[in-house]
Amino acid sequence: MMIRNVLLAMIAAPLALCSFSANAALRVLACEPEWGALAQELGGSLVDVSVATNALQDPHQIQAKPSLIARARNADLVVCTGAELEIGWLPVLLQQSGNAKVQPGQPGNFAAADYVRKLDVPTQLDRSQGDVHAAGNPHIQTDPRAIAQVATALGTRLQQVDPAHASQYAQRQADFMQRWQQAIARWTAQAAPLKGVPVVSQHKAFVYLYDWLGLKEVAVLEPKPGVEPTAGHLQQVLTALKDVPVRMVLYAAYQDPRSSEWLSKNAGIAAVKMPFTVGGTDGAKDLFSLFDDTIARLLAAGEKR
Amino acid sequence: MNKLLRASLALALVAPFGALADTQAEIDALRHEIDAMRAAYEARLQALEQRLKASEAAAATPTAPALTATPAASTATNAPIAPSAAVAPVVASSSRGANAFNPSISLILSGLYTRTSRDPANYAISGFPLSTDAETGPGTRGFSLAESELGFAASIDPWLRGAASIALHPDDTVSVEEAYIQTTSLGNGFALKAGRFFSGIGYLNPQHAHTWDFVDNPLAYQALLGTQYGDDGVRLTWLAPIDQYLELGAEVGRGRSRSFPGSDSGRNGAGMAALTAHTGGDIGDSHSWRAGVSVLRAKANEQSLIATNAAGEQVTNSFTGSTRVWVADAVWKWAPNGNPTRTNFKLQAEYLRSTRSGSLVHDGGSLVHDGGNVDGAAADYRAVQSGWYLQGVYQLMPRWRVGLRTERLNPGTPDYGLNAESFAGSAFRPRKNTVMVDFNPSEFSRLRLQVAQDRSREGLADNQLFLQYQTSLGAHGAHSY
């Protein structure tokens, strides 16, 4: 009896749903909020963006939960960071989605890190070094110049997967790029005082930001990438800081702030919560305010002393 | 390369004409033709070389952002970060040659120390006749290598993906746990899997041992599905095109002899068929769930079952018939804001109900029959048995998790037909309670302590202690929900 019902459902459901799928916008599934925001900037009302994770989640540690599988099933384009950031969950998500359009190698599968020059590429691959990424540091979204490169590639990709609206995408992209380049100029000028400032990071999450603004990372609280800070290692960092006049310790919104706060208290430096992505702080509402807030927080902490 | 190409082209063109080209004019014409072809090829090669150079340059220096006066300078000041950067994309893509296409390889290494108060050699689950092949109970006492597993996976071509996991058992035997190909390109939510794989029924059944939250699988799985149901066959799944997750699956399989409750039937048709339906979703950012119902039907032909007769002796019966197993499963996960890094909780429960009907040939042991059925003759057999477990695992701080599991089995009142008087009915219901603590230094390693009181044997409580390590080497596995 139940088997028969299941079979009936199997036949009836696709028939019932055929009628819905005709005229919808291009469905984009972004793995992280920054790419969701970028797709929204570039696609406007032509795209229907859904984001798989929020700013308070660690993008390394997401599970291929049912809601995400359902969304991958229905996506026309999946926009992720790549560079192995999502290696623990995205492959399963795509395999279980039964969606041919978004499989690796298809136009519907976009990996942002493919279009950016990566930093921290390990010369030696061994897990004794912690959770290292063979392709390099994947946290590219902390540098707006990298976002500009991704925007160029993503704009082209949107035109490719939705050729009917190619001219509109091109127009939106040109408009975004102009506003973005102006904003980069503004941020770069605002952040000039930060150049050469020595800082500590909780996770190696900001190398692109440092590369852009010229901040100097003198220590990392995680003894190895992805390994929780230990009391012993924190003590070592504290001792090392006696010789270097560090101004601040940076942690991402999704991280447990306790180790940064401990260092802040014991070394007498500012602990700065970075939005890291769109939605990480109240101020970081979209891509532009993400960097407005990032720079403002860094400047505030830099001036405290 | 270029020369070789030219020479072979010339040879290929000249050779067949050799006999015919007897006049000077023809030879000249041929020479001109070859020259023209050579020129054309060289032009194309040059064009290709130029394109290659251009794309290499583009990859090495990505489109320079317009309004950044400082990037070069700031890169220079950050000497420790900069140097390796530009090399990256090139290293990743070239230089690995033929090995670049090797499948990703992972190795699970696991070891176990077991201490039990009862001898595991005569482990049994009272009221549940188990196959002679069944891997049930706590295994061996003392130190042992737990199951190690070698996994391979890669794309086969743009349409297929393949994966295999080879289990290396502590007794120096090797078995193929899974070996299947899977479509990636059917689209419309369909996926087809063929080969040997764990059935998609229930929640725990498709999961590999190294992803379990406890050392062993629940009693209900051990008693009703031979610990884990895997078979050779085909599985088709379809994911509904709606926002709510809804996956339907259908399987047919051989019904291998190692796949309790099935056994090889020697028929052309399928010995096993299963249907699965799962749905799930999120409740806010912090909660997610999945639930489902599955049914599996397997045929058995002269399946040897170890049972206990009315005299308390172990006897081997032979069952021929079919078994239907219903599985209802549900899992709920909680993590604050959906970030499980610091704390998270997972609650899962499954209910299994098995109906076996067919005939049983029984070995009467020392029992003397007054009339009724005699040894070696078949008699009707029908048994409805069920079991459930409920477990919760809580990560109380990074790296540390604790778990509790409680489980019950109900052997029902099997109808032995004419064999009835050889088997004594008992109202005994096996049960077990388990506590575990695990420590995860990284996502690739785990140390686990598990203590259980296993009351599977009527009247005998078995206190079990396990100390286990589990590690994962090589390719970073991605786990399902």
Side-chain angles (χ1 to χ4, degrees):
Chain A
M1 185 60 200
M2 199 136 176
I3 300 178
R4 195 179 305 148
N5 285 347
V6 169
L7 280 173
L8 272 176
M10 268 175 125
I11 296 161
L15 292 176
L17 291 156
C18 277
S19 48
F20 289 102
S21 52
N23 62 340
L26 186 80
R27 279 165 301 189
V28 178
L29 175 62
C31 285
E32 289 88 21
E34 64 271 17
W35 309 131
L38 183 60
Q40 195 63 64
E41 291 279 359
L42 298 177
S45 60
L46 300 172
V47 293
D48 176 9
V49 179
S50 114
V51 183
T53 61
N54 67 40
L56 299 180
Q57 296 173 352
D58 181 347
H60 304 86
Q61 297 187 16
I62 301 295
Q63 288 189 322
K65 53 185 184 171
S67 61
L68 295 183
I69 296 171
R71 283 194 266 171
R73 154 73 171 90
N74 298 321
D76 298 309
L77 175 64
V78 168
V79 181
C80 294
T81 301
E84 298 178 6
L85 177 63
E86 299 99 349
I87 196 168
W89 53 283
L90 188 62
V92 172
L93 204 63
L94 297 181
Q95 274 159 35
Q96 298 194 355
S97 72
N99 184 348
K101 285 184 281 188
V102 298
Q103 298 302 319
Q106 296 296 320
N109 185 303
F110 180 90
D114 288 355
Y115 302 92
V116 174
R117 172 188 60 118
K118 277 165 303 289
L119 303 175
D120 278 356
V121 178
T123 46
Q124 182 204 355
L125 274 181
D126 192 308
R127 293 245 166 80
S128 65
Q129 302 306 308
D131 191 10
V132 289
H133 299 275
N137 191 306
H139 305 297
I140 54 173
Q141 84 284 5
T142 54
D143 180 352
R145 297 171 307 166
I147 290 185
Q149 287 165 10
V150 175
T152 307
L154 183 59
T156 313
R157 188 64 68 90
L158 284 167
Q159 295 177 36
Q160 190 188 348
V161 294
D162 188 11
H165 300 105
S167 60
Q168 284 155 281
Y169 288 120
Q171 206 180 344
R172 292 198 68 97
Q173 185 184 349
D175 173 59
F176 171 76
M177 290 305 274
Q178 196 192 355
R179 288 184 291 134
W180 192 248
Q181 297 295 5
Q182 284 167 359
I184 292 179
R186 188 178 79 236
W187 293 323
T188 310
Q190 282 172 348
L194 293 168
K195 194 164 178 189
V197 169
V199 297
V200 175
S201 343
Q202 182 162 327
H203 174 62
K204 269 191 144 314
F206 308 105
V207 287
Y208 296 88
L209 178 76
Y210 301 159
D211 182 52
W212 170 42
L213 298 178
L215 291 161
K216 276 202 287 198
E217 183 177 74
V218 296
V220 181
L221 298 187
E222 288 182 352
K224 306 272 179 187
V227 177
E228 288 282 320
T230 57
H233 184 74
L234 286 177
Q235 203 64 50
Q236 273 178 26
V237 171
L238 185 62
T239 315
L241 290 189
K242 291 206 168 103
D243 307 325
V244 196
V246 165
R247 297 265 189 88
M248 57 187 110
V249 52
L250 276 64
Y251 66 95
Y254 74 83
Q255 285 167 330
D256 187 344
R258 283 180 300 183
S259 48
S260 286
E261 279 161 5
W262 180 89
L263 189 75
S264 165
K265 205 172 70 189
N266 287 279
I269 58 174
V272 188
K273 175 178 171 179
M274 302 294 282
F276 192 60
T277 182
V278 176
T281 55
D282 290 341
K285 287 183 171 37
D286 56 21
L287 280 178
F288 291 90
S289 52
L290 166 64
F291 286 96
D292 287 337
D293 196 49
T294 300
I295 305 283
R297 283 167 183 262
L298 288 174
L299 287 172
E303 283 162 7
K304 260 179 199 156
R305 277 192 139 195
Chain B
M1 181 62 201
N2 209 349
K3 262 185 192 161
L4 195 73
L5 188 77
R6 279 182 220 157
S8 60
L9 257 172
L11 204 69
L13 285 167
V14 170
F17 294 105
L20 299 170
D22 47 0
T23 69
Q24 190 58 38
E26 276 175 69
I27 292 170
D28 281 350
L30 211 59
R31 197 169 283 153
H32 278 301
E33 213 170 291
I34 291 169
D35 281 348
M37 283 181 79
R38 183 191 295 164
Y41 263 94
E42 259 167 19
R44 282 177 67 182
L45 273 171
Q46 271 179 4
L48 275 173
E49 273 169 12
Q50 274 172 359
R51 278 174 61 186
L52 188 68
K53 266 182 198 159
S55 68
E56 269 178 1
T61 51
T63 47
L67 282 161
T68 43
T70 47
S74 68
T75 317
T77 51
N78 285 334
I81 301 168
S84 59
V87 194
V90 187
V91 172
S93 56
S94 65
S95 82
R96 287 197 299 159
N99 289 337
F101 290 105
N102 279 355
S104 66
I105 299 173
S106 67
L107 177 65
I108 306 295
L109 290 181
S110 177
L112 196 59
Y113 170 75
T114 309
R115 190 184 168 86
T116 61
S117 62
R118 306 274 167 197
D119 188 356
N122 45 42
Y123 186 83
I125 303 177
S126 293
F128 290 80
L130 294 173
S131 157
T132 43
D133 290 332
E135 290 168 18
T136 45
T140 52
R141 280 167 156 174
F143 289 100
S144 68
L145 198 61
E147 194 172 281
S148 307
E149 195 182 294
L150 196 53
F152 304 86
S155 297
I156 296 169
D157 57 26
W159 305 281
L160 292 172
R161 183 182 166 270
S165 61
I166 312 297
L168 314 171
H169 301 281
D171 57 358
D172 290 346
T173 56
V174 173
S175 70
V176 179
E177 200 160 60
E178 288 197 292
Y180 60 83
I181 57 169
Q182 195 178 17
T183 62
T184 54
S185 56
L186 284 186
N188 294 319
F190 285 100
L192 191 67
K193 202 186 229 188
R196 176 172 299 177
F197 50 86
F198 289 129
S199 167
I201 57 171
Y203 176 72
L204 272 180
N205 195 69
Q207 299 193 9
H208 284 247
H210 66 94
T211 65
W212 296 348
D213 290 323
F214 291 85
V215 171
D216 44 8
N217 234 1
L219 287 179
Y221 268 87
Q222 298 189 23
L224 304 177
L225 289 172
T227 300
Q228 202 167 10
Y229 191 88
D231 206 347
D232 300 353
V234 184
R235 171 172 167 80
L236 178 72
T237 52
W238 179 69
L239 202 59
I242 45 174
D243 292 338
Q244 171 83 12
Y245 169 84
L246 174 65
E247 190 200 64
L248 305 176
E251 298 169 17
V252 285
R254 172 193 177 87
R256 285 192 301 146
S257 61
R258 288 178 64 86
S259 306
F260 184 85
S263 82
D264 262 323
S265 59
R267 296 160 12 121
N268 283 323
M272 176 281 278
L275 291 175
T276 63
H278 285 100
T279 185
D282 291 346
I283 304 167
D285 279 339
S286 307
H287 307 269
S288 63
W289 60 279
R290 199 191 85 149
V293 182
S294 327
V295 60
L296 175 136
R297 192 187 161 97
K299 290 194 167 69
N301 188 33
E302 294 178 11
Q303 178 179 54
S304 298
L305 295 177
I306 300 169
T308 309
N309 69 9
E313 299 165 330
Q314 234 177 41
V315 293
T316 306
N317 298 324
S318 164
F319 170 74
T320 301
S322 75
T323 310
R324 179 174 294 163
V325 184
W326 285 94
V327 188
D329 64 280
V331 57
W332 167 65
K333 294 186 186 183
W334 168 85
N337 292 311
N339 184 354
T341 317
R342 207 164 139 187
T343 57
N344 63 72
F345 179 66
K346 176 181 177 188
L347 185 70
Q348 87 190 49
E350 289 185 77
Y351 171 76
L352 285 79
R353 181 183 172 91
S354 149
T355 308
R356 313 202 79 185
S357 56
S359 62
L360 196 71
V361 177
H362 108 101
D363 149 30
S366 63
L367 285 183
V368 181
H369 299 276
D370 344 324
N373 201 35
V374 286
D375 284 4
D380 287 348
Y381 173 70
R382 184 182 153 85
V384 180
Q385 308 190 304
S386 63
W388 58 264
Y389 73 88
L390 172 68
Q391 70 180 52
V393 176
Y394 178 58
Q395 179 174 311
L396 62 166
M397 56 171 135
R399 299 176 169 200
W400 289 93
R401 303 192 312 162
V402 292
L404 275 173
R405 178 176 68 186
T406 184
E407 32 188 335
R408 299 284 184 279
L409 292 180
N410 182 354
T413 42
D415 176 3
Y416 291 99
L418 295 172
N419 286 327
E421 52 193 287
S422 304
F423 297 92
S426 164
F428 176 73
R429 295 183 175 192
R431 61 185 193 274
K432 184 175 170 185
N433 292 312
T434 311
V435 184
M436 77 88 191
V437 180
D438 67 21
F439 172 65
N440 304 273
S442 74
E443 61 179 304
F444 306 106
S445 60
R446 168 174 291 158
L447 282 173
R448 178 184 284 144
L449 173 70
Q450 176 171 321
V451 177
Q453 190 179 62
D454 186 348
R455 293 178 177 273
S456 304
R457 285 169 274 198
E458 188 163 4
L460 301 171
D462 186 16
N463 296 314
Q464 305 169 343
L465 180 142
F466 302 95
L467 197 56
Q468 185 189 32
Y469 69 83
Q470 257 180 349
T471 60
S472 154
L473 292 71
H476 191 309
H479 294 313
S480 40
Y481 181 71

